[in-house]
Amino acid sequence: MEIKKKITLTYIALSGISTLLLCVMVFFLFRFNNEYYFVQRLVDRAKIVSSIHYQHDPKKAEYYRNLKKNGLEELIEESDYVLKINGPSSFDYNTALHLPHEFYDEVMKNGSSYTQYQGYYHYAQIFDERGIKYMVIVGARDIRGTRTTVYVTRILLFGGIGFMLLAYLFGRFLARRVINPVATITKEVKRISASNLHSRLPMPDADENDAIYDLTQTFNSMLNRLQTSFELQGNFINNASHELKTPIATIIAESEIALLKERDTAEYEEVLQNIHKQASRLGNLTESMLKLTQTGYDGNKQVMETVRMDELLMEVMSGLDKTHPGNRVTLRMDGMPEDESQLTLSCNRPLLELALGNIIINGIKYSDNHNVFVTLSADEKGIKINVSDIGIGIPAEDLPHLYEPFFRGKEASKYTGYGLGLPMAMRIIKMHNGDMKVQSEPGKGTEVSILFSRQKH
């Protein structure tokens, strides 16, 4: 069911229930009010009938008869009876009255009562005159009350139907008013595709706490991420295809040239060396790209273990001594905490070694193997690693593109590499809920700060 119909039907249902409860309450209150005032009129008549019966003076009796006839509003099918009470539970019964025994019992017990059947009311009250008790019973039909009750019932019925029709119209208006902003957002989102990801939803003129404002802002933020992701993906594919095409084309060309005619051993060796060089380059590039694809942000898919960061850095340094002999990397661990548990981190050990190794290797490479300082510190807030060098530095215009795969600045392009090390390191650190910041100045060096904050439980 469409959400507009759901809102309309919900509004109609709630309005209908409220209207029904109101109509029922008005009906019973009106009926009770009619009954109360009609019974009070019977009470007045019972008092007058009692006064007429008590009077032994004909003039006073005639006065009360005139008061009853001319002073009180006439009732339909009015009748009155005076029954003498003989004892606690006996009285002179009138055969013209067909009233239930329960009614008489209640009158004898409470001194007064009333009953009604099909719109005809009987009121009875006990009076005492000079030690003699009488039961005065007055009856009449409440034609006006019955008619007004029917009239009010019709008003409530037709008014309720009319209100339900209004509720339907108001419900549709409310549904449109609520859904139209969402429908507008849906329409705008549908027209956005991969070819026009630069488009954004117009922000509504609303308070920042408004749900539609939040929804629009969320969609625009998502589009920003999608656009960035598509652009990075496009750049990655273009650069990857270019980087892969060069060694493959070289291998094919060297092979074709070698097969054109017979050559001596020296020429074949030279061709094979060129092919081996390009194949090694291709293999290294492919391996780097595969490692990059393994550094997703979903840490649940990684094998995690608890390691000491000082031990991990020492292993990285040991590996660098083998791959980069003669390096001038200095590991400083001056800010060691007293609590050794503050040095531990749950991580994917091989990937984190790879990330830290790449960052330190960049310091070695772009400083032409000058001094590189690695500083480790830890406290209750987290673990911090600083890697600083005095190399060529990074121009300010290149800093925003450091984490784009295959991106290489003008100065960095003079050195061997593929532009995959830093993006890979950034992804690995993000995967471990870490943060990495790069500060650099051309000609003075670069400082990389890595912080692994402790998660609060």
Side-chain angles (χ1 to χ4, degrees), residues 32-51:
F32 173 78
N33 184 72
N34 268 356
E35 186 176 84
Y36 172 79
Y37 282 105
F38 188 77
V39 171
Q40 289 302 312
R41 293 166 67 186
L42 294 182
V43 171
D44 294 337
R45 278 168 167 74
K47 292 178 179 178
I48 292 176
V49 170
S50 173
S51 299

Side-chain angles (χ1 to χ4, degrees), residues 185-335:
I185 293 175
T186 304
K187 182 179 178 181
E188 292 293 324
V189 171
K190 283 182 177 179
R191 69 178 182 82
I192 298 176
S193 61
S195 59
N196 60 340
L197 279 176
H198 61 278
S199 301
R200 294 295 180 268
L201 302 179
M203 295 299 296
D205 297 330
D207 184 72
E208 291 188 3
N209 294 323
D210 183 70
I212 301 300
Y213 183 93
D214 291 341
L215 181 61
T216 305
Q217 193 174 45
T218 302
F219 268 116
N220 284 338
S221 298
M222 181 189 68
L223 290 172
N224 288 335
R225 294 192 298 271
L226 283 176
Q227 183 180 7
T228 302
S229 177
F230 269 76
E231 289 175 353
L232 289 176
Q233 185 181 30
N235 292 336
F236 179 86
I237 293 173
N238 292 334
N239 292 323
S241 61
H242 174 74
E243 294 289 341
L244 292 172
K245 186 186 299 182
T246 301
I248 292 174
T250 303
I251 291 172
I252 294 174
E254 290 286 346
S255 302
E256 289 178 346
I257 293 173
L259 293 173
L260 286 176
K261 62 179 181 177
E262 290 187 6
R263 302 177 183 275
D264 55 27
T265 303
E267 290 179 327
Y268 280 123
E269 287 179 356
E270 183 181 356
V271 170
L272 290 174
Q273 286 176 358
N274 291 336
I275 292 176
H276 180 267
K277 180 180 178 181
Q278 296 300 326
S280 297
R281 180 185 175 189
L282 183 61
N284 292 333
L285 180 59
T286 304
E287 183 180 1
S288 298
M289 292 173 62
L290 289 175
K291 287 181 179 179
L292 184 64
T293 60
Q294 294 173 3
T295 57
Y297 292 157
D298 189 1
N300 296 326
K301 296 181 180 179
Q302 308 294 337
V303 179
M304 310 297 279
E305 60 180 301
T306 301
V307 300
R308 285 176 56 111
M309 192 56 62
D310 54 346
E311 295 178 355
L312 188 142
L313 280 174
M314 289 179 183
E315 290 185 11
V316 172
M317 296 294 294
S318 176
L320 289 175
D321 290 338
K322 297 177 182 178
T323 58
H324 295 75
N327 68 77
R328 301 171 65 181
V329 179
T330 302
L331 178 60
R332 296 176 177 175
M333 293 188 287
D334 301 329

Side-chain angles (χ1 to χ4, degrees), residues 59-122:
K59 290 185 178 181
K60 290 185 178 180
E62 185 63 25
Y63 168 77
Y64 282 114
R65 289 191 184 96
N66 290 332
L67 176 64
K68 177 184 176 185
K69 181 178 181 181
N70 301 319
L72 299 179
E73 185 180 356
E74 183 180 3
L75 298 180
I76 307 298
E77 298 181 20
E78 183 178 356
S79 61
D80 55 78
Y81 304 89
V82 179
L83 307 179
K84 183 181 178 181
I85 298 176
N86 300 318
S89 59
S90 66
F91 55 89
D92 294 341
Y93 183 73
N94 192 321
T95 55
L97 293 169
H98 302 283
L99 298 174
H101 294 290
E102 293 79 11
F103 173 70
Y104 292 112
D105 294 339
E106 188 173 353
V107 174
M108 294 295 289
K109 179 180 179 181
N110 300 323
S112 65
S113 183
Y114 76 92
T115 183
Q116 73 90 18
Y117 176 71
Q118 293 183 348
Y120 198 92
Y121 286 82
H122 284 93

